[in-house]
Amino acid sequence: MIKRFKIGEPLDTNAVVEQLDNSPISEFPLSVKTGEKIEITFNLAPDDKIYGLGEAVRGINKRGWIYESWCSDEINHTEDKRSLYGAHNFIIISGEKKLALFVDNPGKVEWDLGYTSADTAKITVPSNSAYLYTVDGETERDIVRQFRKLIGKSYIPPFWAFGYQQSCWGYATEDDFRNVRDNHRKNNLPLDCIYMDIDYMDSFKDFTINRGLFPDFKSFVDDMKAHNIHLIPIIDAGVKNEKGYSVYDEGHDNGYFCTDKDGNEFECGVWPGIVGLPDFLNTNARRWFGRQYKALTDLGIDGFWNDMNEPALFYSADGLKKAQEKLSKLSEKEIDIWGFFGMKDAVMGLSNSMDDYSSFYHDFDGKKVCHKDVHNIYGAFMTRAASDYFEEEFGKEKMLIFSRASYIGAHRGSGIWFGDNFSWWSHILLNLKMLPSVNMCGFLYCGADLGGFANNCTGDLLLRWLQLGVFTPLMRNHRALGTRAQEAYQFGNTEDFADVLAVRYRLIPYIYSTFRRCSDENDMMFRPLAFDYPNDKIASEVEDQLMLGDECMIAPIYEQNKNGRTVYLTEPMTFVKLSGENVTIEKLGKGIHYVEVALNEVPLFIKDGKKIPLAKPALSTAELNTENLEYIG
Ligand code: GLC
């Protein structure tokens, strides 16, 4: 059962679709204090677990750390971090009784889940207003279903968005894109999408095209489509502040950008230099921004990724001026060690600073609000601009759209990717752990940068990561400018990559139908073993295997120089290894097993009595035969 509690005068974050009556706060099942801030506390019994918080570091069981919901441009996804790009304020407290909590507040929320005191959890909302929702139920899966019904059905992208996708910050010329396409095709490597990072734009201006690089963009898009490749351009939140650039001029003339306390346009620096931040919280501004996508959809583009929408601020004009003044003061005298640190702090503190987030304002449909109080819905509302426009213009399931920043509610119109990770083995595991957590919050179309965004990738890392990626709805290989090339044909053993990528296409009918069912039934595609086997002590602690759909379990290898791994089987299962067209099958009993998996194989475990369909391999979803399926299990 779900209950809603209203505290103060909460803003409408667009998170839920069902309007519930308010329950009296005296019925709130946990201890709650209201006033200047809201504090919720509860005791943790030794075996209690806490699930949720969507996109966050650390384990599937979130107990024992302090998290902050605060959409952050955070490249270092290390254990010490409290926030990543999404703000997903949902947890399930799983003990003898199970209770979930959703804190619907668009500002910061702190989750001390047994950090300050191991047996106490304390959630702090530094605001006098929020909707609090509680959900109780028999199982975690049932609780998630109820919650997901409250927040509405998850976004379904077009079918082709389940194909393999290649991205790289640095592809710039038409030839760069054609080479990627041709190298995949000639090496028998399937591919459905190539991503266009910021270099396709004219001076990083949203909704423009660098005509020097792409003299006839429409023909280029059509040519790619003729090869069954969709081009997916990036759109950043900030609009370059440049007179004569029509998007900026329109936004400026209509007052659609965020303002400082005096009502002047707030100026900050991102890729294009100084930008205006569209006020996505304002319905007119949001609709206006949504319509800008037409500039590219008219040219045949049918997918986008929205970026830098936490919003990421490299600096504000004001902050930069202050830092420069500080630096010039410091350089007036000879620099001692403290002077040096002062200089360093002045520069390092420029990006994403709380001072800046506290210094600009939105016109939230008539109500002036400070950004810091609504920070966590900014990116979600940017993506809402796009997804609302796409749905009105093209209907459902026609456009691919996913975002870096997100808040619950955005899952209805778009997917997410997990932002800038590293080419680290530990990030394969982090990728796996985030999947059930974001599914709980409605985000089904999701995935990490396979191979890792920052740092240099190796062939074995990419293969092992792809062996997880074949199961994630968004399967995209992406890397940063200046890192080692990591397309599937870059490492010499290209046949191994062809074997693994073929498996994705063989599995698409299964992945797609499971995805659709989970969207329709408000179900999770990926679940911790603990959700399915609540009475199994070992299963309740397994965090490197996941249940997939109703049929399977996955257990990828995430360490270097390993020929296999140990897996725990909660019941007898069929151990399947898929590689190209090959399928090997072995029946395994309940218990712990060591299984060997070669670099060109994808391991999968199918529950006894279940079968899953396999298609014939194909080089794109357009060529995939989804009718003549073989069943294994
Ligand atoms: C951000 C994005 C990354 C992109 C880069 C350049 O870091 O997260 O994916 O490649 O910006 O646009």
Side-chain angles (χ1 to χ4, degrees):
M1 196 171 105
I2 307 195
K3 283 187 172 183
R4 180 173 91 166
F5 303 88
K6 184 179 178 192
I7 299 175
E9 287 305 319
L11 296 167
D12 179 6
T13 62
N14 193 42
V16 305
V17 293
E18 289 186 344
Q19 291 310 315
L20 308 179
D21 291 336
N22 297 318
S23 295
I25 196 72
S26 56
E27 285 178 17
F28 192 73
L30 306 167
S31 154
V32 59
K33 274 200 224 152
T34 59
E36 290 279 279
K37 56 184 177 179
I38 304 164
E39 282 177 350
I40 302 161
T41 29
F42 50 93
N43 293 331
L44 293 167
D47 287 338
D48 286 358
K49 296 185 164 55
I50 303 178
Y51 300 108
L53 292 186
E55 194 181 341
V57 295
R58 297 202 169 216
I60 295 178
N61 178 359
K62 291 279 176 266
R63 185 170 173 171
W65 187 241
I66 182 164
Y67 299 87
E68 274 170 15
S69 297
W70 182 257
C71 294
S72 299
D73 171 24
E74 175 56 78
I75 188 169
N76 288 304
H77 306 178
T78 44
E79 279 181 32
D80 54 324
K81 294 292 146 39
R82 296 181 178 192
S83 319
L84 295 178
Y85 308 89
H88 304 144
N89 298 341
F90 176 74
I91 57 166
I92 303 178
I93 311 152
S94 176
E96 230 160 77
K97 285 204 178 130
K98 299 182 199 308
L99 179 77
L101 173 70
F102 171 45
V103 177
D104 192 10
N105 175 283
K108 187 179 270 188
V109 182
E110 186 184 87
W111 307 80
D112 180 339
L113 305 178
Y115 168 79
T116 304
S117 157
D119 57 6
T120 312
K122 181 167 170 188
I123 298 154
T124 310
V125 188
S127 157
N128 58 10
S129 299
Y131 282 116
L132 305 178
Y133 293 84
T134 56
V135 193
D136 58 15
E138 286 295 303
T139 64
E140 292 88 352
R141 196 169 173 184
D142 167 48
I143 286 179
V144 169
R145 280 205 186 98
Q146 295 183 58
F147 176 61
R148 294 261 305 276
K149 185 162 171 281
L150 172 77
I151 60 174
K153 294 233 162 100
S154 300
Y155 163 75
I156 302 181
F159 181 70
W160 51 261
F162 288 80
Y164 178 59
Q165 317 185 356
Q166 181 60 51
S167 183
C168 164
W169 172 16
Y171 298 157
T173 65
E174 287 194 6
D175 279 350
D176 290 342
F177 292 92
R178 290 205 170 96
N179 284 340
V180 173
R181 175 192 76 194
D182 296 345
N183 279 319
H184 280 82
R185 293 288 179 250
K186 82 170 182 246
N187 285 300
N188 221 16
L189 297 163
L191 188 69
D192 269 81
C193 302
I194 308 180
Y195 281 71
M196 310 191 85
D197 210 315
I198 45 177
D199 300 297
Y200 80 87
M201 300 181 201
D202 169 19
S203 311
F204 304 143
K205 288 185 279 194
D206 277 343
F207 312 111
T208 67
I209 284 156
N210 182 327
R211 293 288 172 191
L213 295 172
F214 303 96
D216 184 354
F217 191 70
K218 180 151 191 348
S219 306
F220 177 59
V221 175
D222 290 346
D223 172 49
M224 283 292 186
K225 281 229 170 114
H227 289 82
N228 296 322
I229 300 286
H230 298 258
L231 289 170
I232 315 293
I234 196 169
I235 300 293
D236 284 343
V239 170
K240 186 174 172 64
N241 178 325
E242 183 183 279
K243 295 230 154 26
Y245 160 41
S246 64
V247 182
Y248 176 76
D249 287 344
E250 273 178 44
H252 176 82
D253 293 347
N254 289 296
Y256 287 158
F257 295 118
C258 294
T259 51
D260 65 17
K261 62 175 186 336
D262 303 320
N264 301 316
E265 217 165 274
F266 176 70
E267 294 184 349
C268 57
V270 204
W271 301 120
I274 294 292
V275 300
L277 288 176
D279 189 356
F280 299 116
L281 276 58
N282 180 279
T283 301
N284 292 334
R286 187 169 64 249
R287 293 220 172 106
W288 160 78
F289 194 85
R291 287 193 299 273
Q292 305 307 313
Y293 286 80
K294 189 175 186 314
L296 293 159
T297 57
D298 279 352
L299 300 173
I301 292 296
D302 48 11
F304 295 89
W305 46 314
N306 279 351
D307 193 21
M308 309 301 276
N309 51 1
E310 293 72 29
L313 310 180
F314 293 166
Y315 58 87
S316 67
D318 199 38
L320 187 66
K321 204 166 129 221
K322 284 188 186 139
Q324 281 167 330
E325 280 164 12
K326 188 167 177 194
L327 291 181
S328 71
K329 246 204 182 133
L330 282 165
S331 51
E332 275 166 14
K333 25 183 190 159
E334 206 176 312
I335 291 286
D336 61 7
I337 197 68
W338 304 115
F340 164 76
F341 281 118
M343 274 183 146
K344 197 169 154 227
D345 291 348
V347 177
M348 301 292 281
L350 275 174
S351 296
N352 305 320
S353 90
M354 201 45 107
D355 282 353
D356 288 340
Y357 289 130
S358 308
S359 71
F360 65 94
Y361 295 82
H362 298 265
D363 169 3
F364 198 169
D365 292 337
K367 192 171 171 148
K368 185 172 172 182
V369 287
C370 178
H371 176 78
K372 83 165 177 2
D373 298 327
V374 288
H375 174 79
N376 285 340
I377 55 172
Y378 185 77
F381 277 46
M382 173 195 182
T383 300
R384 186 177 168 195
S387 58
D388 282 356
Y389 172 71
F390 297 153
E391 212 176 304
E392 269 165 41
E393 194 68 17
F394 307 106
K396 281 185 185 286
E397 297 180 37
K398 292 287 186 283
M399 300 293 289
L400 171 60
I401 172 79
F402 60 88
S403 174
R404 196 170 74 170
S406 59
Y407 186 83
I408 290 173
H411 70 284
R412 295 194 297 275
S414 70
I416 49 171
W417 96 101
F418 302 155
D420 301 345
N421 55 10
F422 274 67
S423 296
W424 290 344
W425 290 86
S426 60
H427 277 183
I428 302 182
L429 190 55
L430 182 61
N431 179 176
L432 177 127
K433 289 180 183 182
M434 279 191 202
L435 292 167
S437 308
V438 301
N439 275 192
M440 285 176 216
C441 302
F443 294 97
L444 293 184
Y445 191 76
C446 60
D449 286 351
L450 300 171
F453 174 75
N455 266 23
N456 294 324
C457 186
T458 57
D460 55 348
L461 174 70
L462 181 58
L463 278 167
R464 290 303 191 198
W465 211 327
L466 291 172
Q467 289 164 18
L468 167 62
V470 296
F471 298 106
T472 62
L474 167 63
M475 186 188 187
R476 183 179 80 141
N477 174 339
H478 179 50
R479 71 175 173 93
L481 188 69
T483 58
R484 179 183 183 186
Q486 66 185 45
E487 293 81 9
Y489 48 81
Q490 297 286 5
F491 297 98
N493 53 336
T494 307
E495 311 73 43
D496 290 345
F497 288 87
D499 285 343
V500 170
L501 294 181
V503 173
R504 166 63 167 209
Y505 285 72
R506 301 206 72 189
L507 285 169
I508 283 179
Y510 174 64
I511 292 167
Y512 185 71
S513 60
T514 304
F515 182 96
R516 280 204 84 95
R517 183 187 62 71
C518 290
S519 171
D520 283 352
E521 297 176 4
N522 298 315
D523 202 358
M524 295 168 68
M525 194 165 164
F526 298 98
R527 294 178 307 284
L529 272 52
F531 283 21
D532 286 29
Y533 303 92
N535 301 319
D536 184 323
K537 268 226 157 251
I538 302 181
S540 73
E541 293 189 357
V542 171
E543 294 215 352
D544 61 354
Q545 306 173 197
L546 293 176
M547 303 311 295
L548 162 61
D550 276 328
E551 296 77 14
C552 302
M553 184 183 78
I554 58 169
I557 287 170
Y558 53 88
E559 288 176 311
Q560 193 160 25
N561 302 319
K562 295 283 158 73
N563 294 317
R565 59 164 285 173
T566 304
V567 286
Y568 176 60
L569 266 57
T570 43
E571 57 177 293
M573 292 188 190
T574 306
F575 172 41
V576 182
K577 289 194 274 193
L578 298 157
S579 179
E581 297 231 31
N582 295 331
V583 183
T584 54
I585 281 186
E586 190 185 342
K587 297 273 178 198
L588 296 177
K590 175 178 158 76
I592 294 172
H593 299 267
Y594 179 81
V595 295
E596 287 194 1
V597 183
L599 280 176
N600 67 340
E601 293 174 329
V602 177
L604 175 65
F605 299 82
I606 304 178
K607 292 204 272 187
D608 249 9
K610 301 281 187 187
K611 287 199 179 303
I612 66 156
L614 284 182
K616 285 258 171 268
L619 288 182
S620 67
T621 51
E623 296 153 277
L624 191 71
N625 181 341
T626 52
E627 309 235 303
N628 294 319
L629 305 174
E630 168 193 343
Y631 282 80
I632 55 162

